[in-house]
Amino acid sequence: MRRITTGLLLTVSALVLLFSYHTSTEGTSTVASAAGAASIVAGSQTAPSVPESSRVAAAPPGPPDPRSIPSTTRTTAPTNLQIDGAVEETRRGPVQVRVTFQGARILEVNAIVLPTGSQRDAAINDYAVPILQDESVAAQSANIDMVSGATLTSEGYRASLQSAIDLARGKR
């Protein structure tokens, strides 16, 4: 009994230490520049020293050179395209998604029709849909993994997503 208690306490202690460990992406690195070296330490940056003789005075602003102005200054920002996928019937109910595209890139996927026949359906949707949305955007396709415990919803979601992607390809 004493060994079991000791083993359990050691395991719990190890888990507490493991989950309380914070990883850091900030560290010490060195950046080289033409005028010297700048050190970045723990997020703070020290400016490189530049000799007085190599400093250049800023020219006063003047009219722009007409040759440097492009012939047309009109820029067109890419527009977002929203497409609703097909309504996919599953045994638990219909599933449909709305996909927002920017060019060929999937920006966002929202489930607009989901099974709502029971509290279990709502619980499955609350759990599975955010996972499916994240995977869809990350994969940039309908080739995503099913969510365990939400197989029917996952199948309907993937089929509706694929139909929206197919429709978007036809509209580009």
Side-chain angles (χ1 to χ4, degrees), residues 13-34:
S13 299
L15 286 174
V16 167
L17 289 173
L18 179 66
F19 287 120
S20 65
Y21 179 74
H22 295 285
T23 59
S24 174
T25 57
E26 293 183 32
T28 303
S29 65
T30 304
V31 178
S33 69

Side-chain angles (χ1 to χ4, degrees), residues 33-54:
S33 69
S39 298
I40 300 174
V41 180
S44 66
Q45 182 173 353
T46 59
S49 60
V50 178
E52 189 68 36
S53 62
S54 65

Side-chain angles (χ1 to χ4, degrees), residues 111 114 121-135 144-151 153-154 157:
L114 291 168
D121 290 333
I124 289 171
N125 296 339
D126 290 345
Y127 169 72
V129 170
I131 295 169
L132 293 168
Q133 289 171 334
D134 291 344
E135 285 194 22
I144 57 175
D145 291 333
M146 303 277 240
V147 176
S148 179
T151 303
T153 300
S154 297
Y157 187 96

Side-chain angles (χ1 to χ4, degrees), residues 37-90:
S39 298
I40 300 174
V41 180
S44 66
Q45 182 173 353
T46 59
S49 60
V50 178
E52 189 68 36
S53 62
S54 65
R55 292 187 185 158
V56 178
D65 183 3
R67 292 171 292 175
S68 68
I69 299 174
S71 60
T72 110
T73 56
R74 183 175 156 225
T75 59
T76 57
T79 58
N80 293 347
L81 174 66
Q82 284 190 337
I83 296 182
D84 292 346
V87 176
E88 296 295 327
E89 290 296 331
T90 69

